[in-house]
Amino acid sequence: MANIKEIARMAGVSVTTVSRVLNNHPYVSEVKRTAVLTTIEKLNYTRDMNAVHLITGRTQAIAVIIPYTNLFYFSVIIAGLAQEALLAQYRLVLCQTDYRTEEEIKVLEMLRNKEIDGVVMVSSTMSSEAIEEYTAYGPIVVCQDRGERQFSSVYIEHYSAFRSGLQYLNDKGYRHIGYCEGRPYGSSSSIRQIAFRDFLAATDHPYIDEWMIYNCVTEEDGARVLHQLLQMKNRPDALIISAGDHIAAGLIIEAWKKGIRIPEDLAVIGFDDQPIGRTLGLTTVDNQLTEMGISAFQIIYDQIQRNDGQPVHRKLEYRIIERNTV
């Protein structure tokens, strides 16, 4: 197999010149660059990337921990990450974990073993203390508010975002409010549940356990929620769906089939500002998911380039988008 010295000899240039061409260094004459590239093609030369990584100390790859690949929330964050990674000529290694801690640890072990340059944890079950143990091996960015930790974070305040959605419904005159959630015991879910109870207590609105509906993940779950509401003797007059606009869309479409008017019979507010929600005219809370992915990559890329483990904590601003379902 050809090596750099052989390329240099055949091209009539120095080894340094060959190295500069391989690394796209600007200070090489076009004549020498052409000679090197022609020789590389003639010899069918392939770089030993393991050797390159040993020399540079970088792999040009970042691992992304996501529990699932088929949910809009995660896919939009990844889209923001991918947009910036492409500009920086970095590879993303997507690692689906199904919220299994042992799978998340496997990814962080890749960081310890220098297989990747950093880790973005979009959503995780690991404790903050367990994550901090791996910050000695490279930069980690978590897309959740974990407080002032040794790893970086980019996030929205789920408590205030959820309270804002509830306040919006209250200001529109709704007093009997139900709530749809994904995982009942996730960290963000727990924060929203506290916000829901605090809001009801502050406004003296009734808390009805039957109106708290969990495990809403797909559009079909939204249709299921509509059927649950129809079976209730005492139904809420408004519903806030924190697990995503696609679930609200499933509910709205099923409501049309059953002759339930939105918002006259049931007001609905969603989360995440998804395309299907925009198509249906859904009022929603925009969580700035694309910006979250962009910010997460920018933070970790800057830390890699500076070789700086100083944590960065960036809070994004949410907004309520008013449409036709409230």
Side-chain angles (χ1 to χ4, degrees), residues 211-264:
W211 294 354
M212 298 278 287
I213 304 174
Y214 298 105
N215 298 312
C216 299
V217 178
T218 67
E219 291 84 350
E220 290 80 5
D221 291 330
R224 169 179 59 81
V225 170
L226 191 279
H227 285 279
Q228 285 184 239
L229 295 177
L230 293 178
Q231 293 172 9
M232 296 177 186
K233 291 183 179 179
N234 182 26
R235 297 201 298 260
D237 55 14
L239 204 60
I240 185 165
I241 301 178
S242 68
D245 286 356
H246 61 292
I247 297 164
L251 182 145
I252 290 170
I253 292 170
E254 192 68 14
W256 291 341
K257 293 178 183 177
K258 299 296 181 181
I260 303 298
R261 299 171 301 165
I262 307 290
E264 292 83 0

Side-chain angles (χ1 to χ4, degrees), residues 10-290:
M10 291 186 63
V13 299
S14 68
V15 170
T16 300
T17 298
V18 175
S19 178
R20 286 177 174 173
V21 171
L22 289 173
N23 290 288
N24 295 314
H25 199 285
Y27 301 117
V28 180
S29 71
E30 284 305 313
V31 172
K32 291 183 178 180
R33 187 182 300 277
T34 300
V36 170
L37 293 175
T38 301
T39 304
I40 286 172
E41 185 177 357
K42 184 182 299 183
L43 294 175
N44 195 25
Y45 170 76
T46 303
R47 300 178 79 183
D48 183 349
M49 293 310 298
N50 288 328
V52 173
H53 295 160
L54 285 172
I55 294 169
T56 65
R58 294 176 185 166
T59 65
Q60 298 295 113
I62 292 172
V64 181
I65 291 178
I66 51 172
Y68 314 114
T69 59
N70 60 344
L71 294 186
F72 181 90
Y73 181 93
F74 302 127
S75 66
V76 177
I77 294 175
I78 291 170
L81 282 163
Q83 171 185 316
E84 295 301 301
L86 185 61
L87 292 173
Q89 292 296 286
Y90 251 76
R91 293 175 294 123
L92 298 182
V93 181
L94 299 185
C95 304
Q96 181 173 332
T97 62
D98 197 27
Y99 280 124
R100 289 155 54 187
T101 303
E102 65 271 20
E103 294 299 324
E104 297 170 4
I105 291 174
K106 287 179 183 178
V107 181
L108 292 174
E109 283 295 315
M110 292 169 62
L111 184 64
R112 185 204 292 265
N113 295 328
K114 305 301 180 185
E115 299 174 55
I116 50 178
D117 295 340
V119 179
V120 175
M121 307 181 78
V122 176
S123 187
S124 165
T125 61
M126 289 182 67
S127 69
S128 296
E129 292 77 13
I131 296 171
E132 282 181 323
E133 292 179 10
Y134 286 89
T135 56
Y137 308 112
I140 300 171
V141 177
V142 175
C143 297
Q144 295 171 309
D145 182 8
R146 297 288 190 105
E148 295 293 320
R149 292 289 181 171
Q150 295 175 25
F151 50 82
S152 297
S153 61
V154 54
Y155 61 92
I156 68 157
E157 290 185 339
H158 284 274
Y159 184 95
S160 57
F162 199 69
R163 282 288 298 257
S164 293
L166 291 166
Q167 187 63 52
Y168 179 83
L169 289 172
N170 181 80
D171 293 345
K172 292 290 186 177
Y174 298 101
R175 300 293 181 265
H176 299 84
I177 302 172
Y179 169 34
C180 290
E181 180 62 86
R183 292 190 302 150
Y185 304 115
S187 57
S188 298
S189 303
S190 299
I191 291 170
R192 289 190 291 263
Q193 290 169 37
I194 293 170
F196 187 63
R197 293 175 183 271
D198 287 352
F199 176 81
L200 295 182
T203 56
D204 202 29
H205 294 346
Y207 172 82
I208 308 296
D209 190 63
E210 189 180 28
W211 294 354
M212 298 278 287
I213 304 174
Y214 298 105
N215 298 312
C216 299
V217 178
T218 67
E219 291 84 350
E220 290 80 5
D221 291 330
R224 169 179 59 81
V225 170
L226 191 279
H227 285 279
Q228 285 184 239
L229 295 177
L230 293 178
Q231 293 172 9
M232 296 177 186
K233 291 183 179 179
N234 182 26
R235 297 201 298 260
D237 55 14
L239 204 60
I240 185 165
I241 301 178
S242 68
D245 286 356
H246 61 292
I247 297 164
L251 182 145
I252 290 170
I253 292 170
E254 192 68 14
W256 291 341
K257 293 178 183 177
K258 299 296 181 181
I260 303 298
R261 299 171 301 165
I262 307 290
E264 292 83 0
D265 299 324
L266 177 68
V268 180
I269 184 170
F271 265 75
D272 299 342
D273 191 28
Q274 301 178 18
I276 191 170
R278 295 194 287 270
T279 300
L280 295 176
L282 175 67
T283 296
T284 191
V285 180
D286 181 2
N287 282 340
Q288 301 290 316
L289 298 182
T290 302

